[in-house]
Amino acid sequence: MPRANTRSNEPALPRREADRLAATLLAWYARHHRRLPWRARPGRAADAYQVWLSEVMLQQTTVKTVTPHFRAFIRRWPTVGALAAAELDEVLHAWQGLGYYARARNLHRCAQVVSGDHAGRFPTSETELRRLPGVGAYTAAAIAAIAYGLPAVVVDGNVERVVARLFAVEEPLPRAKAGLRALAAALASRERPGDQAQAMMDLGATVCTPRRPRCALCPWREQCRARRMGIAELLPRNRPKRERPLRRGIVFWLVRQGGEVLLRKRAAQGLLGGLMEVPSTAWREAEWTLEEALAAAPAEARWRPVPGVVRHGFTHFELELRILVGRLGETAARPRGVDEGQGPRWCRLDRLSDYALPTVMKKVVAHALASGR
Ligand code: SF4
């Protein structure tokens, strides 16, 4: 097999070799493709709305987690127009379990743009697709290739891994990205770009997995340089990750007579924007003194600490929350801002699942309830 050239102006891969590799992969895909609810059968074009919805859901989330959510969304909002007409809160609530709520807000905005500015049809060019809210290079390429059969190059972490191994690219990521993309582009099928893109996704997800690739089942086992060199599992090489900083916060679990707890809505912009939360101090790296924390409490009460901490990992930092519990009697003054518009509100403990609580807040609720205070 010719050595892949990722640095000069020569083609990354001779055309005839690329066509042979593509044909082998497509033959494998015809027999071994995953049956997924958003997929069309090999050789058929898929629905752009369903491709888009599934790709947005699949960012940072597994197929297993996405599948029931995808089915529920399609049942409830069968077209992009129906999704555009939904209330944002309904969409955020239905998104629970998929994480990264900024994607849900962009999803809703994107549905409104497609519905309002494009007559309910997703644009067909990658350039126009990329102008839609929340649609990046990968999602635009996936829609163009899978729904419209255009020769778009669909490259994500899975594809980078497969290509790095196939051609034994030892240069570490992210430096190797451009070269890997050139190789993926050279490999792309000219006749069936949609099937090829999905075949690469399936190969990366089921055979050429990050750990213990199942090379014996791989359609490219003969051609794969990393397998022959015995370094498949070591590729792609990554630059060591920097440690994420630790931030800390104090959460106020305020319960009033009748068993209602105080929640509030986060600001629309920023991390977990527009979602409900148990009120807390800001999240910062320095430890909080009790005095500092109480200055941010939503009401005056006899605050008592709950043993233990709640930990949660965000993309850019780790969070450690401690919980203070307070109780309000019937005669106590109302907490600051309660029941005013979208601000703080009392919620029955048995109705907390009605609210779009992010995972970190679900952990807080579980920890507070388990403490029995
Ligand atoms: Fe991946 Fe192994 Fe196939 Fe190479 S032979 S592409 S390492 S599964």
Side-chain angles (χ1 to χ4, degrees):
M1 180 179 181
R3 188 176 179 79
N5 183 347
T6 64
R7 292 188 173 209
S8 75
N9 291 328
E10 294 167 33
L13 183 67
R15 189 68 248 171
R16 194 186 298 179
E17 188 60 40
D19 286 346
R20 267 204 293 269
L21 286 165
T24 308
L25 181 66
L26 288 170
W28 173 84
Y29 181 66
R31 290 196 304 278
H32 300 289
H33 62 274
R34 289 177 296 175
R35 285 169 177 77
L36 303 173
W38 47 88
R39 285 253 175 107
R41 288 210 304 276
R44 302 273 178 85
D47 177 72
Y49 170 56
Q50 298 201 7
V51 175
W52 164 75
L53 182 60
S54 64
E55 289 301 337
V56 176
M57 287 183 168
L58 284 165
Q59 291 162 17
Q60 324 256 358
T61 316
T62 63
V63 164
K64 193 171 165 209
T65 305
V66 163
T67 298
H69 282 88
F70 176 85
R71 289 206 166 103
F73 263 66
I74 291 295
R75 259 198 312 275
R76 192 162 173 190
W77 299 300
T79 63
V80 70
L83 183 59
E87 291 293 328
L88 175 60
D89 273 352
E90 292 178 85
V91 177
L92 290 174
H93 192 258
W95 193 263
Q96 280 188 90
L98 291 170
Y100 299 91
Y101 284 86
R103 287 186 292 144
R105 285 192 298 279
N106 277 330
L107 187 89
H108 189 241
R109 277 222 327 276
C110 182
Q112 292 180 327
V113 171
V114 171
S115 193
D117 299 353
H118 299 275
R121 269 185 58 82
F122 278 82
T124 51
S125 82
E126 271 188 87
T127 314
E128 276 190 275
L129 283 164
R130 285 201 63 178
R131 291 199 189 108
L132 297 172
V135 175
Y138 174 80
T139 306
I143 298 169
I146 299 169
Y148 298 130
L150 296 171
V153 184
V154 186
V155 182
D156 67 352
N158 277 327
V159 173
E160 284 177 347
R161 180 173 64 254
V162 174
V163 171
R165 289 172 176 175
L166 180 62
F167 299 109
V169 176
E170 296 202 51
E171 188 178 23
L173 287 167
R175 255 201 346 257
K177 272 185 179 291
L180 294 175
R181 186 176 180 80
L183 285 164
L187 266 178
S189 160
R190 284 169 294 186
E191 276 79 43
R192 294 168 54 193
D195 281 347
Q196 166 109 7
Q198 292 172 103
M200 288 290 271
M201 292 173 188
D202 285 10
L203 190 67
T206 64
V207 176
C208 195
T209 45
R211 271 168 293 180
R212 298 204 192 168
R214 302 157 76 202
C215 300
L217 305 177
C218 180
W220 285 340
R221 60 189 170 276
E222 296 304 325
Q223 297 95 332
C224 178
R225 291 176 59 82
R227 185 194 65 80
R228 292 208 308 255
M229 294 161 71
I231 57 170
E233 205 167 342
L234 302 177
L235 299 183
R237 297 197 193 281
N238 285 300
R239 251 201 336 232
K241 283 188 182 151
R242 271 189 301 166
E243 272 196 16
R244 289 178 295 183
L246 175 65
R247 292 189 193 166
R248 301 170 170 93
I250 306 292
V251 176
F252 303 99
W253 182 256
L254 184 62
V255 182
R256 74 173 176 182
Q257 275 192 349
E260 289 176 313
V261 68
L262 190 71
L263 298 185
R264 71 180 177 193
K265 199 170 200 175
R266 290 177 67 84
Q269 303 302 323
L271 186 69
L272 309 177
L275 299 178
M276 297 301 289
E277 69 171 0
V278 185
S280 82
T281 61
W283 301 342
R284 68 182 196 192
E285 289 184 29
E287 292 272 10
W288 287 89
T289 63
L290 186 61
E291 198 180 14
E292 282 178 317
L294 290 181
E300 283 187 20
R302 233 181 93 226
W303 292 102
R304 283 172 302 154
V306 169
V309 294
V310 173
R311 290 203 173 80
H312 188 74
F314 289 97
T315 320
H316 301 299
F317 64 94
E318 289 285 327
L319 181 63
E320 191 178 277
L321 295 174
R322 294 181 187 276
I323 302 177
L324 293 179
V325 173
R327 293 197 175 273
L328 285 187
E330 257 174 3
T331 55
R334 288 198 324 171
R336 291 188 263 279
V338 80
D339 296 335
E340 289 164 8
Q342 298 293 301
R345 66 186 78 163
W346 292 109
C347 304
R348 274 173 44 188
L349 287 170
D350 59 349
R351 301 299 298 270
L352 284 174
S353 59
D354 292 353
Y355 295 89
L357 286 173
T359 305
V360 59
M361 288 299 148
K362 286 184 177 156
K363 290 183 187 175
V364 167
V365 170
H367 194 87
L369 292 178
S371 78
R373 298 202 178 193

